[in-house]
Amino acid sequence: FGIHALLVVTATLSPVTASARSENDVTGEDAYPPLWDLAPENPLDFPVKDNKIVINAWNYQARLGVYKSLLNASAKYFGAFGPRNRGNILWGLPLQHGWQFYTGRLADPSGGTSRGYENGEHLYQSVRSWWSCMNYYLAIIPFLGAVEAGLFGQLPYEIEILPPEEQKDDFCYSVKDCWSRMPKLMDDWKAFFEVNNSATFSSFKLDDALGLLWKAHTSSIAYALPKFQDRLKYLPNPEANFGKNWANAVDFIAATHFRTDLPTTNKFQTFLPQRMLVEGDVPPSISDFSPQQNKVLLSLRALHKVNKLTGGLLLKLWQKAMSTEAGREMGRKLIEGLTSS
């Protein structure tokens, strides 16, 4: 059964050539998230009002600036892993968010408004978007954890995150607020940034950093999944199911301490659907998806189904196989071998 677990997991990571993102895209300027050059560079680039740095987390460019601040401030720790900060393992977060943006997953899916679709408001992120809400816990919480860990030094102002127009209780808006409401989640992200920001930097080990990053990442997803279950009702069934299947697959990828630098993340994002799934999209017969993309959707569904049927045993077996550094290296090589074959 353990071998079957490995085969099912690796099947989710099949090689794909996405029609919307060519090989040239992921090696050139398009390797970066859309509008990356226009995003704020550090916390002090955001507006300051009433002695507070004010961040509108419901604007794509502002949320991108949160990520850019994290990448810039942590660049010194990842210089040995690639030029121009391309080896920074935090790239996985903004690249995922960029994929959500250019595939239309951050706009209002409820049909109640056209916000996020029209040119005048294309940067708007809807609080009714399941993807946008889930991403809040992979953007704002890491950022505030980094502030608390001292990644940005001693900031002259407090941070204030603006609330959405509705469902305000689903989020927190300052370091103090988030600590009081979700201490474990904040602690996981703070732990990642503290290790990389510590005086023991000379003993920095990439596998350890990846372990802490993935621990925080999966904690964010586990916390947010039940909270935003109600947002799935706004999505077409195929898209809602894909979202749940992808969230499940992240746990399997995390167990390998998968490297989330710029080139590796770009390579693996090409197997994700390059548009929202709609009613009538039934893999393996989605005509505008490549055979590999169709296969990935089937594999993600199978992985989630088997893990659910076994009460999570499939994931536990995989995590056990990945519990040593040698095992994780084997898991990553298995994944990389599939995508390069």
Side-chain angles (χ1 to χ4, degrees), residues 167-223:
Q167 308 289 338
K168 297 178 183 180
D169 291 342
D170 287 337
F171 309 95
C172 60
Y173 305 105
S174 68
V175 171
K176 186 178 179 181
D177 183 27
C178 293
W179 267 112
S180 66
R181 294 169 63 176
M182 50 198 78
K184 184 188 179 301
L185 201 51
M186 284 288 287
D187 197 51
D188 283 347
W189 282 107
K190 181 172 179 262
F192 167 73
F193 288 109
E194 273 182 338
V195 165
N196 298 324
N197 194 36
S198 71
T200 59
F201 175 64
S202 58
S203 61
F204 177 86
K205 194 174 179 183
L206 188 61
D207 186 68
D208 293 340
L210 283 161
L212 289 167
L213 177 64
W214 279 114
K215 180 186 178 186
H217 188 125
T218 52
S219 292
S220 279
I221 290 178
Y223 185 92

Side-chain angles (χ1 to χ4, degrees), residues 10 41 78 80 94-95 109 140 150 162 184 210 212 230 270 292 304 318 339:
T10 53
E41 303 263 344
F78 298 97
L95 286 170
I140 301 305
L162 295 181
K184 184 188 179 301
L210 283 161
L212 289 167
D230 65 324
T270 58
Q292 295 93 338
H304 192 189
W318 178 253
T339 57

Side-chain angles (χ1 to χ4, degrees), residues 49-218:
K49 184 178 180 182
D50 298 330
N51 282 324
K52 290 182 179 179
I53 295 168
V54 180
I55 300 174
N56 178 8
W58 302 97
N59 174 279
Y60 167 74
Q61 199 165 307
R63 205 181 286 193
L64 206 60
V66 163
Y67 286 130
K68 199 170 186 179
S69 299
L70 290 174
L71 276 150
N72 286 341
S74 61
K76 58 189 173 184
Y77 306 119
F78 298 97
F81 303 107
R84 294 190 296 154
N85 204 24
R86 292 167 71 90
N88 194 320
I89 59 174
L90 286 169
W91 273 114
L93 297 172
L95 286 170
Q96 268 283 283
H97 198 48
W99 166 76
Q100 293 161 0
F101 175 71
Y102 72 72
T103 57
R105 288 178 161 86
L106 302 177
D108 183 357
S110 69
T113 72
S114 60
R115 299 194 69 180
Y117 297 99
E118 297 176 341
N119 284 337
E121 290 194 319
H122 72 289
L123 299 179
Y124 171 78
Q125 293 193 203
S126 176
V127 73
R128 296 186 182 187
S129 161
W130 180 83
W131 293 97
S132 182
C133 291
M134 292 291 293
N135 177 265
Y136 191 97
Y137 283 82
L138 290 167
I140 301 305
I141 309 304
F143 177 73
L144 295 177
V147 170
E148 186 74 350
L151 184 69
F152 305 108
Q154 190 68 40
L155 290 172
Y157 310 106
E158 289 182 25
I159 304 284
E160 180 184 3
I161 310 297
L162 295 181
E165 297 167 345
E166 56 186 3
Q167 308 289 338
K168 297 178 183 180
D169 291 342
D170 287 337
F171 309 95
C172 60
Y173 305 105
S174 68
V175 171
K176 186 178 179 181
D177 183 27
C178 293
W179 267 112
S180 66
R181 294 169 63 176
M182 50 198 78
K184 184 188 179 301
L185 201 51
M186 284 288 287
D187 197 51
D188 283 347
W189 282 107
K190 181 172 179 262
F192 167 73
F193 288 109
E194 273 182 338
V195 165
N196 298 324
N197 194 36
S198 71
T200 59
F201 175 64
S202 58
S203 61
F204 177 86
K205 194 174 179 183
L206 188 61
D207 186 68
D208 293 340
L210 283 161
L212 289 167
L213 177 64
W214 279 114
K215 180 186 178 186
H217 188 125
T218 52

